Amino acid sequence: MAIIEMNGISKSFDGRKVLDRIDLQVNEGEFVTILGPSGSGKSTLFQLIGGLLLPEEGSIIFNGKDQTGKRGLISYMPQQPALLPWRTVLQNVLLGQELRGKKDEAKAREMIKRAGLSGFEDALPGALSGGMKQRVAFIRALLSPQSLICLDEPFSALDDFTREEMHEWLLSIWSNYRRTILFVTHSLDEALFLSDRILVLSTNPAQVIHEMVVPFARPRQSDLLLTGEFLERKRELASYIKRGDLNGS
Ligand SMILES: Nc1ncnc2c1ncn2[C@@H]1O[C@H](COP(=O)(O)OP(=O)(O)OP(=O)(O)O)[C@@H](O)[C@H]1O
Ligand SMILES: [Mg+2]
């Protein structure tokens, strides 16, 4: 069953159309990625889903109910790690639950351990590396009570090596705590390695120009990136991104 459905969503800024009749649907437990060039409107899409912006056209349905413009229904992880600097790792991780008045500290501690952050429970974010901060932010998103987690290029600020590690880590923790994820990236590798399904956006005014069901079995390991089938799929995605660019210029 679809957790979220966007139907015919359009959005303009200052008379310039950024999103043009976007349709998308994410089912329970699915990992769906929106792949699009920089400036195509990916973060805007998340702000619409989060109710921070209103669309000019279209509706956003959560669990069968029209919730266009409603806030608080998703757990959102922004492009830059947004940890509260005065709260410890444990206190940051528990924030989403605290806002809803239901804390599960034992589970939070267990997830911090699984994230390789044992011993850092009481550390402040300032003492963590970029990758560690993003793990903390991701655990917080996983622990939040909302049924849909939206991740906006959470690893774009990390170096390639750390990013690859984070991908494997994310998939292992996701398979354990299985949640519905909508992910945004402009990296073809990241989209293919992580997702069940990929939607490709064109440049502005952005439309969904391609949908790919990713055929790779799980669990996935990083050597998948070197296989012929992976490269073939990557080529397919790249051809659509290129076409999307041509449409936009
Ligand atoms: N509040 C706003 N006011 C005016 N224009 C905006 C606003 N927010 C976004 N835009 C414009 O909308 C377009 C899409 O922006 P958005 O941030 O959604 O892109 P993106 O796909 O997330 O890009 P990136 O990959 O670089 O994060 C851009 O041209 C941007 O300048
Ligand atoms: Mg963005």
Side-chain angles (χ1 to χ4, degrees):
M1 158 164 168
I3 290 232
I4 182 174
E5 254 174 78
M6 294 183 98
N7 298 319
I9 292 287
S10 296
K11 179 72 190 169
S12 308
F13 291 112
D14 312 316
R16 194 173 64 87
K17 198 165 227 181
V18 170
L19 297 174
D20 186 15
R21 286 164 294 157
I22 302 287
D23 290 323
L24 79 85
Q25 194 175 335
V26 184
N27 298 316
E28 174 109 50
E30 224 186 350
F31 196 129
V32 174
T33 293
I34 296 168
L35 178 69
S38 187
S40 55
K42 304 183 296 298
S43 296
T44 302
L45 205 62
F46 273 178
Q47 287 177 306
L48 289 162
I49 294 173
L52 302 175
L53 291 173
L54 278 176
E56 284 111 43
E57 279 183 278
S59 55
I60 301 174
I61 316 285
F62 279 92
N63 297 311
K65 200 169 147 206
D66 189 336
Q67 305 275 24
T68 314
K70 179 98 189 283
R71 296 192 187 188
L73 295 176
I74 58 164
S75 161
Y76 174 59
M77 183 174 164
Q79 273 178 284
Q80 293 304 320
L83 302 177
L84 299 177
W86 60 87
R87 292 187 136 227
T88 66
V89 164
L90 183 65
Q91 289 166 342
N92 263 292
V93 158
L94 286 168
L95 187 67
Q97 294 190 339
E98 213 171 290
L99 296 172
R100 296 294 173 101
K102 209 182 110 213
K103 277 202 282 187
D104 185 346
E105 193 178 315
K107 188 166 177 199
R109 286 186 181 276
E110 179 202 315
M111 288 174 87
I112 290 171
K113 205 178 276 173
R114 280 190 58 104
L117 295 167
S118 290
F120 286 94
E121 291 83 353
D122 300 319
L124 294 172
L128 307 179
S129 71
M132 289 159 89
K133 280 185 200 148
Q134 286 304 64
R135 286 182 215 198
V136 174
F138 182 62
I139 293 171
R140 180 173 63 192
L142 276 180
L143 278 170
S144 295
Q146 293 89 348
S147 49
L148 179 68
I149 301 177
C150 292
L151 303 173
D152 191 352
E153 303 198 50
F155 308 131
S156 57
L158 305 176
D159 62 78
D160 290 350
F161 181 71
T162 312
R163 190 160 52 226
E164 274 184 29
E165 278 187 345
M166 293 291 291
H167 289 159
E168 287 196 55
W169 173 77
L170 184 144
L171 287 188
S172 81
I173 199 158
W174 176 70
S175 66
N176 232 269
Y177 298 96
R178 200 75 185 205
R179 301 285 303 276
T180 310
I181 294 186
L182 187 55
F183 192 93
V184 148
T185 185
H186 53 243
S187 157
L188 304 179
D189 283 340
E190 192 163 82
L192 276 172
F193 186 68
L194 296 176
S195 326
D196 294 319
R197 195 151 57 83
I198 300 171
L199 301 173
V200 182
L201 287 188
S202 64
T203 48
N204 302 140
Q207 295 189 316
V208 177
I209 50 172
H210 188 54
E211 175 172 350
M212 180 187 284
V213 174
V214 180
F216 311 124
R218 298 183 188 271
R220 297 177 186 164
Q221 260 101 41
S222 59
D223 50 7
L224 173 65
L225 273 76
L226 304 172
T227 63
E229 203 185 353
F230 192 92
L231 292 176
E232 207 172 286
R233 293 287 162 164
K234 191 171 164 178
R235 212 171 287 131
E236 181 182 337
L237 288 175
S239 76
Y240 281 97
I241 294 260
K242 219 175 245 159
R243 256 178 267 175
D245 275 347
L246 291 176
N247 287 342
S249 59

PDB file of all heavy atoms in Angstrom, residues 75 87 90-103 139-141 143-146:
ATOM      1  N   SER A  75       9.739  12.287   8.631  1.00  0.00           N
ATOM      2  CA  SER A  75      10.996  12.510   9.308  1.00  0.00           C
ATOM      3  C   SER A  75      11.981  12.952   8.229  1.00  0.00           C
ATOM      4  O   SER A  75      12.157  12.270   7.223  1.00  0.00           O
ATOM      5  CB  SER A  75      11.401  11.200   9.967  1.00  0.00           C
ATOM      6  OG  SER A  75      12.750  11.214  10.257  1.00  0.00           O
ATOM      7  N   ARG A  87      23.483  19.452  22.496  1.00  0.00           N
ATOM      8  CA  ARG A  87      22.953  18.177  22.969  1.00  0.00           C
ATOM      9  C   ARG A  87      23.944  17.062  22.633  1.00  0.00           C
ATOM     10  O   ARG A  87      24.568  17.077  21.577  1.00  0.00           O
ATOM     11  CB  ARG A  87      21.633  17.858  22.270  1.00  0.00           C
ATOM     12  CG  ARG A  87      20.505  18.782  22.665  1.00  0.00           C
ATOM     13  CD  ARG A  87      19.214  18.285  22.054  1.00  0.00           C
ATOM     14  NE  ARG A  87      18.139  18.347  23.019  1.00  0.00           N
ATOM     15  CZ  ARG A  87      17.277  17.375  23.263  1.00  0.00           C
ATOM     16  NH1 ARG A  87      17.341  16.240  22.603  1.00  0.00           N
ATOM     17  NH2 ARG A  87      16.336  17.519  24.152  1.00  0.00           N
ATOM     18  N   LEU A  90      23.453  10.993  22.249  1.00  0.00           N
ATOM     19  CA  LEU A  90      22.238  10.300  22.696  1.00  0.00           C
ATOM     20  C   LEU A  90      21.030  11.245  22.717  1.00  0.00           C
ATOM     21  O   LEU A  90      19.948  10.904  22.235  1.00  0.00           O
ATOM     22  CB  LEU A  90      22.463   9.693  24.091  1.00  0.00           C
ATOM     23  CG  LEU A  90      21.295   8.877  24.649  1.00  0.00           C
ATOM     24  CD1 LEU A  90      21.038   7.630  23.803  1.00  0.00           C
ATOM     25  CD2 LEU A  90      21.563   8.469  26.102  1.00  0.00           C
ATOM     26  N   GLN A  91      21.230  12.448  23.225  1.00  0.00           N
ATOM     27  CA  GLN A  91      20.117  13.413  23.289  1.00  0.00           C
ATOM     28  C   GLN A  91      19.665  13.850  21.896  1.00  0.00           C
ATOM     29  O   GLN A  91      18.476  14.058  21.659  1.00  0.00           O
ATOM     30  CB  GLN A  91      20.547  14.653  24.098  1.00  0.00           C
ATOM     31  CG  GLN A  91      20.684  14.378  25.586  1.00  0.00           C
ATOM     32  CD  GLN A  91      21.415  15.500  26.310  1.00  0.00           C
ATOM     33  OE1 GLN A  91      22.102  16.315  25.690  1.00  0.00           O
ATOM     34  NE2 GLN A  91      21.265  15.552  27.628  1.00  0.00           N
ATOM     35  N   ASN A  92      20.616  13.957  20.961  1.00  0.00           N
ATOM     36  CA  ASN A  92      20.252  14.300  19.591  1.00  0.00           C
ATOM     37  C   ASN A  92      19.438  13.189  18.939  1.00  0.00           C
ATOM     38  O   ASN A  92      18.435  13.447  18.278  1.00  0.00           O
ATOM     39  CB  ASN A  92      21.509  14.566  18.756  1.00  0.00           C
ATOM     40  CG  ASN A  92      21.831  16.051  18.649  1.00  0.00           C
ATOM     41  OD1 ASN A  92      21.095  16.806  18.011  1.00  0.00           O
ATOM     42  ND2 ASN A  92      22.904  16.457  19.287  1.00  0.00           N
ATOM     43  N   VAL A  93      19.882  11.955  19.146  1.00  0.00           N
ATOM     44  CA  VAL A  93      19.219  10.810  18.535  1.00  0.00           C
ATOM     45  C   VAL A  93      17.772  10.677  19.035  1.00  0.00           C
ATOM     46  O   VAL A  93      16.880  10.270  18.311  1.00  0.00           O
ATOM     47  CB  VAL A  93      20.053   9.542  18.846  1.00  0.00           C
ATOM     48  CG1 VAL A  93      19.236   8.296  18.729  1.00  0.00           C
ATOM     49  CG2 VAL A  93      21.260   9.470  17.927  1.00  0.00           C
ATOM     50  N   LEU A  94      17.561  11.067  20.286  1.00  0.00           N
ATOM     51  CA  LEU A  94      16.234  10.909  20.898  1.00  0.00           C
ATOM     52  C   LEU A  94      15.295  12.081  20.615  1.00  0.00           C
ATOM     53  O   LEU A  94      14.126  12.048  21.007  1.00  0.00           O
ATOM     54  CB  LEU A  94      16.378  10.723  22.416  1.00  0.00           C
ATOM     55  CG  LEU A  94      16.904   9.346  22.845  1.00  0.00           C
ATOM     56  CD1 LEU A  94      17.280   9.352  24.315  1.00  0.00           C
ATOM     57  CD2 LEU A  94      15.869   8.264  22.573  1.00  0.00           C
ATOM     58  N   LEU A  95      15.801  13.082  19.908  1.00  0.00           N
ATOM     59  CA  LEU A  95      15.023  14.314  19.743  1.00  0.00           C
ATOM     60  C   LEU A  95      13.646  14.093  19.102  1.00  0.00           C
ATOM     61  O   LEU A  95      12.626  14.573  19.603  1.00  0.00           O
ATOM     62  CB  LEU A  95      15.823  15.320  18.910  1.00  0.00           C
ATOM     63  CG  LEU A  95      15.209  16.707  18.804  1.00  0.00           C
ATOM     64  CD1 LEU A  95      15.221  17.396  20.158  1.00  0.00           C
ATOM     65  CD2 LEU A  95      15.976  17.560  17.802  1.00  0.00           C
ATOM     66  N   GLY A  96      13.633  13.333  17.992  1.00  0.00           N
ATOM     67  CA  GLY A  96      12.367  13.121  17.281  1.00  0.00           C
ATOM     68  C   GLY A  96      11.328  12.453  18.164  1.00  0.00           C
ATOM     69  O   GLY A  96      10.144  12.781  18.119  1.00  0.00           O
ATOM     70  N   GLN A  97      11.782  11.500  18.988  1.00  0.00           N
ATOM     71  CA  GLN A  97      10.861  10.801  19.888  1.00  0.00           C
ATOM     72  C   GLN A  97      10.410  11.711  21.029  1.00  0.00           C
ATOM     73  O   GLN A  97       9.268  11.670  21.452  1.00  0.00           O
ATOM     74  CB  GLN A  97      11.540   9.572  20.480  1.00  0.00           C
ATOM     75  CG  GLN A  97      11.858   8.505  19.453  1.00  0.00           C
ATOM     76  CD  GLN A  97      12.296   7.212  20.096  1.00  0.00           C
ATOM     77  OE1 GLN A  97      12.734   7.184  21.238  1.00  0.00           O
ATOM     78  NE2 GLN A  97      12.182   6.123  19.357  1.00  0.00           N
ATOM     79  N   GLU A  98      11.365  12.528  21.500  1.00  0.00           N
ATOM     80  CA  GLU A  98      11.068  13.422  22.614  1.00  0.00           C
ATOM     81  C   GLU A  98       9.934  14.375  22.257  1.00  0.00           C
ATOM     82  O   GLU A  98       9.060  14.657  23.075  1.00  0.00           O
ATOM     83  CB  GLU A  98      12.332  14.219  22.907  1.00  0.00           C
ATOM     84  CG  GLU A  98      12.544  14.570  24.353  1.00  0.00           C
ATOM     85  CD  GLU A  98      13.941  15.159  24.520  1.00  0.00           C
ATOM     86  OE1 GLU A  98      14.906  14.384  24.385  1.00  0.00           O
ATOM     87  OE2 GLU A  98      14.046  16.364  24.762  1.00  0.00           O
ATOM     88  N   LEU A  99       9.959  14.854  20.995  1.00  0.00           N
ATOM     89  CA  LEU A  99       8.926  15.794  20.557  1.00  0.00           C
ATOM     90  C   LEU A  99       7.555  15.139  20.584  1.00  0.00           C
ATOM     91  O   LEU A  99       6.541  15.814  20.674  1.00  0.00           O
ATOM     92  CB  LEU A  99       9.243  16.321  19.152  1.00  0.00           C
ATOM     93  CG  LEU A  99      10.528  17.144  19.042  1.00  0.00           C
ATOM     94  CD1 LEU A  99      10.861  17.450  17.588  1.00  0.00           C
ATOM     95  CD2 LEU A  99      10.417  18.445  19.838  1.00  0.00           C
ATOM     96  N   ARG A 100       7.529  13.809  20.481  1.00  0.00           N
ATOM     97  CA  ARG A 100       6.255  13.088  20.537  1.00  0.00           C
ATOM     98  C   ARG A 100       5.985  12.483  21.921  1.00  0.00           C
ATOM     99  O   ARG A 100       5.031  11.766  22.120  1.00  0.00           O
ATOM    100  CB  ARG A 100       6.228  11.950  19.502  1.00  0.00           C
ATOM    101  CG  ARG A 100       6.310  12.428  18.073  1.00  0.00           C
ATOM    102  CD  ARG A 100       5.056  13.220  17.732  1.00  0.00           C
ATOM    103  NE  ARG A 100       5.164  13.837  16.415  1.00  0.00           N
ATOM    104  CZ  ARG A 100       4.602  13.358  15.320  1.00  0.00           C
ATOM    105  NH1 ARG A 100       3.888  12.267  15.376  1.00  0.00           N
ATOM    106  NH2 ARG A 100       4.742  13.976  14.164  1.00  0.00           N
ATOM    107  N   GLY A 101       6.904  12.751  22.856  1.00  0.00           N
ATOM    108  CA  GLY A 101       6.684  12.322  24.230  1.00  0.00           C
ATOM    109  C   GLY A 101       6.857  10.833  24.497  1.00  0.00           C
ATOM    110  O   GLY A 101       6.347  10.302  25.459  1.00  0.00           O
ATOM    111  N   LYS A 102       7.601  10.130  23.624  1.00  0.00           N
ATOM    112  CA  LYS A 102       7.777   8.689  23.833  1.00  0.00           C
ATOM    113  C   LYS A 102       9.222   8.298  23.528  1.00  0.00           C
ATOM    114  O   LYS A 102       9.596   8.147  22.375  1.00  0.00           O
ATOM    115  CB  LYS A 102       6.815   7.928  22.912  1.00  0.00           C
ATOM    116  CG  LYS A 102       6.387   6.590  23.472  1.00  0.00           C
ATOM    117  CD  LYS A 102       5.475   5.866  22.487  1.00  0.00           C
ATOM    118  CE  LYS A 102       6.181   4.669  21.878  1.00  0.00           C
ATOM    119  NZ  LYS A 102       5.854   4.321  20.540  1.00  0.00           N
ATOM    120  N   LYS A 103      10.035   8.152  24.569  1.00  0.00           N
ATOM    121  CA  LYS A 103      11.454   7.875  24.352  1.00  0.00           C
ATOM    122  C   LYS A 103      11.777   6.401  24.582  1.00  0.00           C
ATOM    123  O   LYS A 103      11.306   5.798  25.527  1.00  0.00           O
ATOM    124  CB  LYS A 103      12.292   8.714  25.324  1.00  0.00           C
ATOM    125  CG  LYS A 103      12.539  10.119  24.844  1.00  0.00           C
ATOM    126  CD  LYS A 103      13.754  10.722  25.512  1.00  0.00           C
ATOM    127  CE  LYS A 103      13.472  11.185  26.925  1.00  0.00           C
ATOM    128  NZ  LYS A 103      14.623  11.923  27.503  1.00  0.00           N
ATOM    129  N   ILE A 139      20.280   7.935  12.391  1.00  0.00           N
ATOM    130  CA  ILE A 139      19.652   7.167  13.477  1.00  0.00           C
ATOM    131  C   ILE A 139      18.469   7.940  14.045  1.00  0.00           C
ATOM    132  O   ILE A 139      17.416   7.373  14.326  1.00  0.00           O
ATOM    133  CB  ILE A 139      20.676   6.884  14.603  1.00  0.00           C
ATOM    134  CG1 ILE A 139      21.760   5.949  14.096  1.00  0.00           C
ATOM    135  CG2 ILE A 139      19.992   6.247  15.800  1.00  0.00           C
ATOM    136  CD1 ILE A 139      22.891   5.803  15.077  1.00  0.00           C
ATOM    137  N   ARG A 140      18.649   9.244  14.188  1.00  0.00           N
ATOM    138  CA  ARG A 140      17.538  10.059  14.693  1.00  0.00           C
ATOM    139  C   ARG A 140      16.330   9.945  13.755  1.00  0.00           C
ATOM    140  O   ARG A 140      15.195   9.794  14.207  1.00  0.00           O
ATOM    141  CB  ARG A 140      17.972  11.518  14.813  1.00  0.00           C
ATOM    142  CG  ARG A 140      16.848  12.404  15.333  1.00  0.00           C
ATOM    143  CD  ARG A 140      17.313  13.801  15.618  1.00  0.00           C
ATOM    144  NE  ARG A 140      17.768  14.462  14.406  1.00  0.00           N
ATOM    145  CZ  ARG A 140      18.437  15.615  14.398  1.00  0.00           C
ATOM    146  NH1 ARG A 140      18.724  16.221  15.531  1.00  0.00           N
ATOM    147  NH2 ARG A 140      18.805  16.155  13.277  1.00  0.00           N
ATOM    148  N   ALA A 141      16.598   9.993  12.444  1.00  0.00           N
ATOM    149  CA  ALA A 141      15.489   9.875  11.485  1.00  0.00           C
ATOM    150  C   ALA A 141      14.815   8.505  11.605  1.00  0.00           C
ATOM    151  O   ALA A 141      13.591   8.396  11.574  1.00  0.00           O
ATOM    152  CB  ALA A 141      16.004  10.106  10.068  1.00  0.00           C
ATOM    153  N   LEU A 143      14.631   6.598  14.188  1.00  0.00           N
ATOM    154  CA  LEU A 143      13.917   6.458  15.464  1.00  0.00           C
ATOM    155  C   LEU A 143      12.677   7.339  15.556  1.00  0.00           C
ATOM    156  O   LEU A 143      11.854   7.160  16.440  1.00  0.00           O
ATOM    157  CB  LEU A 143      14.853   6.814  16.629  1.00  0.00           C
ATOM    158  CG  LEU A 143      15.796   5.708  17.092  1.00  0.00           C
ATOM    159  CD1 LEU A 143      16.812   6.257  18.071  1.00  0.00           C
ATOM    160  CD2 LEU A 143      15.014   4.569  17.736  1.00  0.00           C
ATOM    161  N   SER A 144      12.556   8.288  14.646  1.00  0.00           N
ATOM    162  CA  SER A 144      11.401   9.181  14.699  1.00  0.00           C
ATOM    163  C   SER A 144      10.136   8.399  14.366  1.00  0.00           C
ATOM    164  O   SER A 144      10.186   7.438  13.615  1.00  0.00           O
ATOM    165  CB  SER A 144      11.587  10.337  13.719  1.00  0.00           C
ATOM    166  OG  SER A 144      12.673  11.119  14.146  1.00  0.00           O
ATOM    167  N   PRO A 145       9.007   8.803  14.925  1.00  0.00           N
ATOM    168  CA  PRO A 145       7.797   7.996  14.794  1.00  0.00           C
ATOM    169  C   PRO A 145       7.102   8.092  13.432  1.00  0.00           C
ATOM    170  O   PRO A 145       6.275   7.246  13.124  1.00  0.00           O
ATOM    171  CB  PRO A 145       6.888   8.557  15.899  1.00  0.00           C
ATOM    172  CG  PRO A 145       7.368   9.949  16.126  1.00  0.00           C
ATOM    173  CD  PRO A 145       8.829   9.941  15.833  1.00  0.00           C
ATOM    174  N   GLN A 146       7.457   9.065  12.611  1.00  0.00           N
ATOM    175  CA  GLN A 146       6.766   9.214  11.324  1.00  0.00           C
ATOM    176  C   GLN A 146       7.029   8.014  10.424  1.00  0.00           C
ATOM    177  O   GLN A 146       8.103   7.427  10.469  1.00  0.00           O
ATOM    178  CB  GLN A 146       7.234  10.490  10.605  1.00  0.00           C
ATOM    179  CG  GLN A 146       6.825  11.780  11.292  1.00  0.00           C
ATOM    180  CD  GLN A 146       7.848  12.227  12.318  1.00  0.00           C
ATOM    181  OE1 GLN A 146       8.745  11.477  12.683  1.00  0.00           O
ATOM    182  NE2 GLN A 146       7.709  13.450  12.788  1.00  0.00           N
TER     183      GLN A 146
END
